[in-house]
Amino acid sequence: MTPDVRDRTDRPASIGRLPGEGGCPIPESSWDRALRLIGQADEVALACHVNPDGDALGSMLAVAFVLRSMGKRVVASFGDRIFAVPRLLGFLPGQEMLVPPEEYPAAPDLMIVFDCSTFERVGLLGANAASAREVIVVDHHPSNTGFGTLDLIDADAAATAMLAEQLVYRLGGRLDRDIATCLYAGLVTDTGSFRYSSTTPAVHQMAARLVATGLRTDEIARELWDRSPFGYLKVLANALERVTLEGRLVWTYVSRVDRAAYGLPYSELEGIIDIVRRADEAEVAVVLKEDDHGDWQVSTRSKGTVDVAAVCAALGGGGHHNAAGYTSYETVEETMAKFRRELRRVS
Ligand code: AMP
Ligand code: MN
Ligand code: MN
């Protein structure tokens, strides 16, 4: 019998409501089935979304640690054509469990996919997922309609890390510092350091459990937000030089030529949207980031009145009401023309 979190005597008194308890849309029967599938598997193949952020990679690695401690063979990956952990997530423990997509099992018995709002976000590992016997989808995107053979989706959770924490407990695992570091990376990333409206009491309660393991939250914050290569300042300056305010839309772009001048990796651009969205006059902020393949990754943010997830969904992407994105294969001008059109339609 796999222990149930509610029966565990070592559950911290301060645990409060876990996602999944009291009104959460994930039924107990789904958790039970997940535990059964994992219990039966000798090998578990984990995946998270392409261009992984702290929530995707952190949730996946946290669960990887627990599965490994249960004696499972574990592989973990994400389906990017250029397989590299972003520098700012380099501090996450457990990266020895990562394998590039070409070394991933072609048809896993059991695959668990984290923080992927759509099947497309599984990227190159989509073929592996399509051939897998069972696929468990662990996610918190409201737009996720469920593409697994078993879906553990809670659109009210601030981060997939909240569901990953619950999976850790339900598998009988204990929070140690490594697991807590991974989960904390997910929680702080997706709540914007506990600033977004998704930051509920349950989020702070989870943070308390994680911090109690001895986390250096100051060091994690510095790794995630307070350091960059010098070239970032130059690329940022360039992006801000051409930032444009059009009514209630503020936007800019960063090309790969801009980055090449300073040898700046694509993943260093993640924070630019947080600077651009400061403009008081704007309701919606957009940053177009050209990746190493020449495709434009479009980051969008709303202050609340506009549902950017709806705009991005219409353009082939998705996300959350206030933070969403998509990929564009057109020029900056064409991309923005289509974005403006969809924005007008939605708002
Ligand atoms: P980002 O701007 O990269 O921080 O992404 C914000 C949100 O948009 C994320 O939580 C993702 O769920 C979503 N998102 C970003 N890029 C894409 C994409 N290409 N397709 C679908 N969803 C995306
Ligand atoms: Mn994510
Ligand atoms: Mn997430």
Side-chain angles (χ1 to χ4, degrees):
M1 258 301 272
T2 318
D4 186 307
V5 64
R6 291 164 306 179
D7 301 327
R8 287 173 62 83
T9 49
D10 59 346
R11 176 176 167 175
S14 63
I15 200 162
R17 174 195 175 271
L18 288 170
E21 292 182 358
C24 167
I26 300 176
E28 278 304 311
S29 57
S30 296
W31 287 110
D32 290 346
R33 188 156 162 248
L35 296 193
R36 238 181 359 258
L37 291 174
I38 293 169
Q40 289 161 359
D42 295 324
E43 181 177 67
V44 186
L46 308 180
C48 67
H49 67 68
V50 290
N51 288 323
D53 52 22
D55 193 31
L57 200 56
S59 299
M60 177 172 77
L61 289 175
V63 172
F65 272 118
V66 177
L67 294 174
R68 192 170 67 172
S69 73
M70 294 167 68
K72 308 284 180 193
R73 283 197 314 279
V74 179
V75 285
S77 188
F78 44 91
D80 279 318
R81 282 173 283 175
I82 300 171
F83 182 76
V85 171
R87 178 196 59 80
L88 77 170
L89 296 177
F91 71 96
L92 286 182
Q95 295 189 27
E96 69 281 0
M97 291 182 277
L98 294 176
V99 299
E102 59 271 20
E103 290 172 27
Y104 202 81
D109 269 347
L110 175 60
M111 193 162 162
I112 310 180
V113 175
F114 295 87
D115 205 38
C116 288
S117 51
T118 60
F119 179 76
E120 285 67 43
R121 299 278 284 162
V122 187
L124 289 183
L125 296 177
N128 310 66
S131 305
R133 201 144 59 93
E134 302 280 354
V135 178
I136 304 178
V137 170
V138 182
D139 189 37
H140 69 126
H141 289 91
S143 56
N144 197 326
T145 49
F147 56 90
T149 58
L150 173 61
D151 301 312
L152 303 176
I153 299 168
D154 181 355
D156 293 330
T160 294
M162 298 186 84
L163 304 175
E165 188 205 21
Q166 192 171 163
L167 193 52
V168 167
Y169 290 134
R170 286 175 182 262
L171 287 167
R174 279 173 183 278
L175 287 187
D176 62 19
R177 203 163 141 171
D178 284 341
I179 293 174
T181 300
C182 293
L183 293 175
Y184 190 83
L187 199 62
V188 279
T189 304
D190 271 28
T191 58
S193 284
F194 309 109
R195 286 175 301 165
Y196 302 159
S197 61
S198 55
T199 311
T200 57
V203 167
H204 285 294
Q205 283 160 355
M206 174 172 165
R209 291 191 291 279
L210 302 179
V211 174
T213 66
L215 290 192
R216 288 295 304 271
T217 53
D218 55 337
E219 287 175 5
I220 295 174
R222 183 173 154 75
E223 288 294 331
L224 286 173
W225 291 297
D226 294 344
R227 48 172 292 205
S228 294
F230 173 75
Y232 172 73
L233 299 180
K234 293 294 202 180
V235 169
L236 175 64
N238 213 352
L240 294 181
E241 182 63 35
R242 57 189 171 221
V243 70
T244 306
L245 183 66
E246 296 169 8
R248 308 213 67 197
L249 168 68
V250 62
W251 71 277
T252 190
Y253 67 92
V254 178
S255 71
R256 56 182 166 168
V257 174
D258 298 335
R259 289 192 290 113
Y262 299 96
L264 193 71
Y266 167 81
S267 62
E268 298 290 334
L269 306 179
E270 204 174 303
I272 295 183
I273 186 72
D274 289 320
I275 297 167
V276 172
R277 74 184 169 87
R278 292 179 67 94
D280 275 337
E281 295 81 351
E283 181 58 36
V284 171
V286 176
V287 176
L288 279 59
K289 303 171 291 185
E290 190 179 13
D291 66 20
D292 291 336
H293 308 288
D295 304 333
W296 291 94
Q297 303 298 335
V298 184
S299 280
T300 71
R301 299 291 184 272
S302 162
K303 289 181 186 157
T305 55
V306 176
D307 180 3
V308 285
V311 179
C312 292
L315 295 163
H320 309 274
H321 186 280
N322 288 352
Y326 64 99
T327 305
S328 168
Y329 306 96
E330 299 178 294
T331 64
V332 169
E333 292 71 26
E334 288 161 350
T335 302
M336 285 310 297
K338 285 197 176 151
F339 182 85
R340 289 184 199 98
R341 201 177 314 143
E342 279 309 320
L343 185 60
R344 271 197 303 274
R345 209 180 49 79
V346 163
S347 53

